Amino acid sequence: MKLYSKYENGIEHVWYESSNIVYSQCYDKGAGKSLKLVFKGGRTYLYTGVSIDDYILFKDAQSTGESANKNIIKKYKAVRLEDVDLDRLNKMRDEFIESDNEINKTIGSLIYHIEANKETGEIRLMLGDKVLYEGVEGKISLI
């Protein structure tokens, strides 16, 4: 099952909770997609010409290993690559997550909202925690 994914610079990085596959990296190349699979222990294989349908079936499956076997491993030729350092792979994931959190904080501070006090009739237009406009109901005009 997919744990975390990040699309960056034309490459989709996906980490999995699986008994066998820990990570995949997919990118377009020619007529199909190239898919790198990293197994527990760091063994790494590159599958080429993978159809978009097979890739989606694999990455979104409940059972990552079963789907990889059916939709990728038995259907496409593979080349064994150098083993991957799993600590480095996990560090990359953590850096992606940290970057996403920073972006979400920035976006969160750019969201407009209105605060209204029913008792006093005070209204505030806010951008994050910054007051952009405030007034009292019946005594303000937005035009």
Side-chain angles (χ1 to χ4, degrees), residues 5-17:
S5 65
K6 172 84 171 185
Y7 186 83
E8 183 175 79
N9 299 323
I11 301 172
E12 184 170 27
H13 305 267
V14 184
W15 283 263
Y16 302 93
E17 181 180 326

Side-chain angles (χ1 to χ4, degrees), residues 11 53 69 93 117 126:
I11 301 172
D53 293 335
N69 202 30
R93 180 197 61 217
N117 184 323
M126 309 283 292

Side-chain angles (χ1 to χ4, degrees), residues 40-56:
K40 291 215 170 163
R43 285 186 339 255
T44 305
Y45 295 87
L46 179 66
Y47 298 84
T48 56
V50 176
S51 77
I52 185 73
D53 293 335
D54 286 336
Y55 172 65
I56 291 171

Side-chain angles (χ1 to χ4, degrees), residues 62-119:
Q62 282 295 111
S63 174
T64 306
E66 184 178 309
S67 181
N69 202 30
K70 177 182 176 186
N71 298 301
I72 307 297
I73 296 168
K74 290 185 177 180
K75 288 177 92 169
Y76 299 97
K77 291 183 181 180
V79 175
R80 173 91 190 257
L81 302 176
E82 185 176 328
D83 288 358
V84 168
D85 179 344
L86 295 178
D87 290 334
R88 192 166 161 222
L89 193 61
N90 289 330
K91 182 179 179 188
M92 181 174 69
R93 180 197 61 217
D94 294 343
E95 288 171 357
F96 279 155
I97 291 170
E98 186 176 321
S99 173
D100 287 349
N101 289 340
E102 288 301 314
I103 290 169
N104 289 336
K105 285 180 192 175
T106 301
I107 290 171
S109 68
L110 298 176
I111 296 175
Y112 290 99
H113 66 279
I114 296 174
E115 292 180 355
N117 184 323
K118 291 180 182 180
E119 294 174 8

